């Protein structure tokens, strides 16, 4: 397809945050560099150039900055930090991405990014509520849905525990379990999050892992033990929940944020033997493998949201300068709901 453009590709320039050094622990300001005035790439056949409006901040981004083996290649030094985002097509050589249409993809921490015609780049049409898409209908909702329904196989009356329950994925996962008729206990790290889980999201119990004795609270709140544990954090909380599993329990390994900043490999869960005692199963999954269900799951989540059964909230950071703080908030617990960056106000050479 011939190149179609809505902007002057020679006059406009990119702003982007590139990786300069592999972080140790939290991302430091000088692990990355904000580059200005970068010439725009010209789309090749099958590619389109997006002008990004919103970037989603996902805990997984931190794993892509390390060299350790992961499910996607590590971000190379000098490359824009990989991240999900939604933007409008401003130049295209791909029929799937017409000029002016919004696309959801992994363009990274930058104002302009190329997308290729691959299954993960998802055309969204002209009218899109980008924050809702990042917080609910996109990868975050797909992860919560597939993890809770397909992997956790939650059923009416199950006792379900969710960690990072006030975060983007966990807040949806807990509500999905409620919709399926479960008793749901959320684990989070601040009292205002405890109140949000109980008062707004309607969970049945909440534990503050920073101030409560997690094991003691699990005994109190889960007298019939735990049928499904949706694990976002790993570490000591996973160990505590393993000690409280019911017979034939399902442990859904969604993520392990407690270890993403660690240098070496942490000791394994010392309570894994409980899987044997309780004839339980522990299973990891990746929402990427379920991308073909994007539309179907988004429709289900949308229907629940329209009925008022499923709520989400966003924590908005402004501009690419805030990217380091936005990512670190997920590790310090300073975030609640889905963390996003608005980049639509960024100044460029355009
Ligand atoms: N498998 C998949 O396909 C998939 C897809 C997307 C995300 N994920 C995983 O889902 C998890 C949540 O990701 P998200 O992007 O939605 O982030 P998020 O839940 O919005 O933010 C992360 C939360 O984790 C909690 N946390 C951080 N360090 C912790 C620690 N050491 N111990 C206990 N809690 C800690 C913090 O909450 P508190 O301070 O309140 O505890 C923070 O709010 C991550 O593990 C991520 O890798 C997996």
């Amino acid at each position: 397809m011939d190149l179609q453009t809505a902007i002057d590709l020679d006059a406009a320039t990119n702003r982007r945050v590139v990786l300069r050094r592999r972080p140790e622990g939290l991302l430091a300001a000088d692990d990355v560099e904000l580059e200005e005035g970068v010439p725009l790439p010209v789309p090749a056949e099958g590619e389109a150039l997006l002008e990004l409006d919103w970037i989603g901040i996902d805990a997984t981004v931190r794993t892509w900055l390390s060299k350790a083996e992961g499910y996607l290649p590590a971000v190379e030094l000098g490359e824009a930090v990989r991240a999900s985002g939604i933007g409008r097509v401003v130049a295209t050589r791909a029929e799937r991405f017409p000029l002016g249409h919004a696309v959801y993809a992994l363009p990274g921490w930058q104002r302009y990014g190329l997308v290729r015609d691959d299954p993960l780049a998802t055309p969204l049409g002209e009218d899109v509520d980008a924050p809702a898409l990042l917080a609910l209908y996109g990868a975050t909702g797909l992860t919560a849905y597939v993890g809770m329904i397909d992997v956790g196989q939650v059923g009416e009356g199950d006792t379900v525990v969710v960690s990072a329950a006030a975060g983007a994925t966990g807040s949806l996962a807990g509500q999905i379990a409620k919709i399926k008729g479960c008793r749901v206990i959320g684990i989070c790290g601040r009292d205002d999050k405890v109140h949000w889980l109980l008062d707004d999201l309607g969970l049945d119990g909440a534990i503050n892992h920073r101030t409560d004795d997690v094991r003691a609270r699990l005994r109190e709140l889960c007298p019939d033990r735990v049928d499904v544990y949706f694990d976002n954090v790993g570490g000591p909380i996973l160990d505590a929940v393993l000690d409280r599993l019911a017979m034939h329990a399902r442990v859904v390994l969604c993520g392990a944020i407690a270890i993403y900043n660690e240098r070496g490999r942490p000791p394994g869960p010392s309570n894994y033997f409980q899987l044997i005692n309780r004839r339980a199963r522990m299973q990891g999954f990746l929402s990427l493998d379920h991308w073909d269900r994007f539309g179907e799951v988004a429709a289900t989540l949308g229907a629940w949201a329209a009925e008022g059964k499923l709520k989400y909230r966003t924590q908005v950071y402004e501009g690419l300068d805030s990217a380091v703080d936005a990512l670190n908030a997920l590790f310090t617990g300073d975030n609640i709901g889905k963390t996003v960056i608005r980049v639509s106000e960024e100044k460029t050479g355009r």
Side-chain angles (χ1 to χ4, degrees), residues 59 143 167-169 189 193 209-210 232 254-255 260 285-287 330 335:
T143 305
T169 310
K193 296 185 185 184
H209 68 86
R210 291 205 170 81
N232 284 314
C254 176
Y260 295 166
F285 77 103
L286 282 173
S287 56
L330 274 57
N335 70 327

Side-chain angles (χ1 to χ4, degrees), residues 44-129:
E45 178 63 33
E47 290 183 340
L49 184 68
L50 298 186
E51 185 173 37
L52 271 292
D53 294 322
W54 293 87
I55 292 172
I57 296 295
D58 304 288
T60 324
V61 168
R62 177 64 184 79
T63 68
W64 296 333
L65 305 183
S66 301
K67 257 302 188 198
E69 190 189 343
Y71 61 91
L72 288 181
V75 173
E76 293 299 333
L77 299 182
E79 252 180 31
V81 172
R82 184 188 301 128
S84 60
I86 294 176
R88 301 232 158 238
V89 177
V90 291
T92 185
R93 289 192 66 192
E95 271 161 25
R96 207 165 146 242
F97 306 128
L99 280 184
H101 283 218
V103 178
Y104 177 43
L106 281 174
W109 287 358
Q110 52 186 342
R111 186 68 169 111
Y112 293 91
L114 279 178
V115 285
R116 269 161 214 91
D117 188 6
D118 65 45
L120 283 183
T122 307
L124 302 168
E126 284 177 280
D127 234 358
V128 60
D129 179 347

Side-chain angles (χ1 to χ4, degrees), residues 133-269:
L133 210 127
L134 290 169
L136 180 61
Y137 303 108
T140 304
L142 185 65
T143 305
Y145 184 95
V146 168
M148 198 52 93
I149 306 275
D150 294 14
V151 186
Q153 296 183 348
V154 282
E156 181 105 27
D158 279 347
T159 297
V160 174
V161 172
V162 179
S163 54
T169 310
S171 59
L172 299 181
Q175 293 180 84
I176 291 169
K178 281 301 296 176
I179 290 167
K180 292 292 170 184
C182 305
R183 241 189 111 248
V184 183
I185 311 301
I187 302 178
C188 62
R190 269 187 355 216
D191 284 344
D192 62 318
K193 296 185 185 184
V194 165
H195 292 307
W196 185 51
L197 297 181
L198 297 177
D199 302 341
D200 291 342
L201 303 191
L203 300 201
D204 301 282
I207 299 173
N208 182 337
H209 68 86
R210 291 205 170 81
T211 55
D212 291 345
D213 176 340
V214 174
R215 285 170 190 271
R217 292 286 285 146
L218 284 171
R219 279 196 300 276
E220 274 166 40
L221 292 169
C222 309
D224 297 328
R225 296 182 162 264
V226 177
D227 298 296
V228 175
Y229 174 43
F230 191 104
D231 185 20
N232 284 314
V233 306
I237 295 176
L238 171 59
D239 246 345
V241 184
L242 286 178
D243 229 8
R244 197 73 204 139
L245 293 183
M247 287 293 274
H248 306 293
R250 286 82 71 199
V251 177
V252 181
L253 295 184
C254 176
I257 194 167
I259 64 169
Y260 295 166
N261 279 331
E262 300 298 319
R263 232 175 160 189
R265 293 199 176 179

